[in-house]
Amino acid sequence: MRIHHLNCGSLRKIPPLGEEPTAGVVNRELAAVCHCLLIETDSDGLVLVDTGLGTADLQHPDRSLGADWVAYAQPALDPEESALRQVVRLGYAPQDVRHIVLTHLHRDHTGGLPDFPHARVHVHPDEYRAVTDPAAAHHRRSLDCFMSAYRAHNPLLTPAPVEDRREWFGFPDVARPQGLACDLLLVPLPGHSAGHAGVAMRDGGGRWLLHAGDAYMYHSEIEHTPPLFHPVLEPVQQGAQTDVAARVVARDRLRGLRRDHADEVTVFSAHDPWEFARLVTLAGQYS
């Protein structure tokens, strides 16, 4: 199994907060990213974790993403950053992406769904319920966040079943996507959205990677105690989250996971460009 770290949508540039550089990453202003993963598997074809911005977003950003979001996020709208183009550059066909696993259903994580209409799309059952059940908490808001442009093709949205009594490093209600032989799990990290989850997978060396989505926005939220927030990224979190208390609990559990299991698990989020640069620099160890 080989794991590729992809930036599927550069966003507005954000300055560092004067922290020390880590792992050779220059401490300078960088563009926020849409951090996705492409997993080459032996039995399941290609698995995409989150999709970033899609080709339709780049052609008609105000229509598919929303003019207000575009004005704040300032996406670069570079077609070469789409997951579709990056899959092709790696020598694959779009049809080779057989599974997509999503942390949640917000626009900057689902924009590429129409580029892979044949793929089965896996989400945590709480996220699935929020967008499909009118009686679910936050249903209207969840459905509004799952942009109509990304569900017009009727994606094969599939709730991953929760395994009885399955925990992952103490995180309960862990779900396993159906039809995947590789060791990949959806780990509940609620609060940013109703059913927000991290995606955990083993790399080629046996370590765990945890794509924590938007459970936090900036690395110093889990690397510092007390957490250090970024003034550009924190308003995004405040405007998007559905349950503040639940998200704070999830973030603090991630801080504990990083503190107590750093030798077993690498945790990263969706938009922090310094985390992305660090992992790309170290990507050889995840082949």
Side-chain angles (χ1 to χ4, degrees):
M1 186 171 75
R2 185 178 185 188
I3 300 173
H4 303 270
H5 294 268
L6 309 181
N7 172 20
C8 296
S10 294
L11 306 174
R12 66 184 297 167
K13 290 187 176 180
I14 54 178
L17 298 184
E19 300 171 89
E20 70 283 358
T22 57
V25 176
V26 177
N27 195 27
R28 58 179 172 82
E29 182 179 73
L30 294 173
V33 298
C34 292
H35 192 160
C36 303
L37 301 175
L38 184 69
I39 308 170
E40 300 179 38
T41 73
D42 295 331
S43 58
D44 304 316
L46 299 181
V47 180
L48 189 60
V49 177
D50 280 354
T51 70
L53 306 184
T55 55
D57 297 328
L58 308 178
Q59 295 167 0
H60 308 288
D62 287 355
R63 184 193 309 168
S64 61
L65 292 165
D68 290 344
W69 189 90
V70 170
Y72 185 82
Q74 301 173 17
L77 303 177
D78 180 357
E80 295 304 314
E81 289 186 340
S82 68
L84 181 67
R85 292 281 186 93
Q86 295 193 65
V87 165
V88 171
R89 281 205 304 276
L90 286 168
Y92 292 100
Q95 293 77 13
D96 293 327
V97 177
R98 290 163 49 188
H99 298 272
I100 296 173
V101 185
L102 298 176
T103 58
H104 61 301
L105 291 165
H106 288 178
R107 72 195 83 192
D108 45 334
H109 300 259
T110 57
L113 290 182
D115 293 328
F116 307 98
H118 54 280
R120 184 160 296 281
V121 182
H122 306 271
V123 294
H124 194 274
D126 291 342
E127 190 78 347
Y128 180 85
R129 191 176 305 112
V131 297
T132 59
D133 182 357
H138 309 294
H139 170 70
R140 186 69 258 172
R141 183 175 181 181
S142 299
L143 198 59
D144 288 344
C145 289
F146 187 19
M147 307 296 283
S148 59
Y150 310 148
R151 44 189 168 89
H153 67 288
N154 294 317
L156 302 174
L157 200 63
T158 306
V162 173
E163 298 186 338
D164 289 342
R165 296 182 295 280
R166 176 66 185 262
E167 291 189 353
W168 183 81
F169 291 96
F171 289 80
D173 300 325
V174 171
R176 182 184 292 276
Q178 296 176 305
L180 285 171
C182 60
D183 207 352
L184 190 146
L185 304 169
L186 280 161
V187 181
L189 298 172
H192 179 79
S193 72
H196 184 279
V199 181
M201 71 222 72
R202 289 192 186 274
D203 64 26
R207 285 178 54 86
W208 285 97
L209 299 178
L210 178 64
H211 188 316
D214 290 352
Y216 68 96
M217 294 281 179
Y218 183 56
H219 58 273
S220 289
E221 292 181 53
I222 66 167
E223 292 179 7
H224 283 235
T225 302
L228 179 63
F229 305 102
H230 198 287
V232 174
L233 296 171
E234 184 60 13
V236 178
Q237 185 68 269
Q238 295 297 326
Q241 60 193 353
T242 58
D243 187 328
V244 178
R247 189 191 63 79
V248 169
V249 168
R251 182 203 65 205
D252 290 348
R253 295 191 73 178
L254 289 173
R255 186 185 302 111
L257 176 68
R258 181 183 180 277
R259 180 191 63 232
D260 299 335
H261 299 283
D263 58 335
E264 300 172 82
V265 185
T266 298
V267 183
F268 57 94
S269 59
H271 300 300
D272 186 312
W274 297 281
E275 285 184 329
F276 179 77
R278 186 189 312 170
L279 285 164
V280 168
T281 300
L282 299 174
Q285 75 186 63
Y286 302 132
S287 298

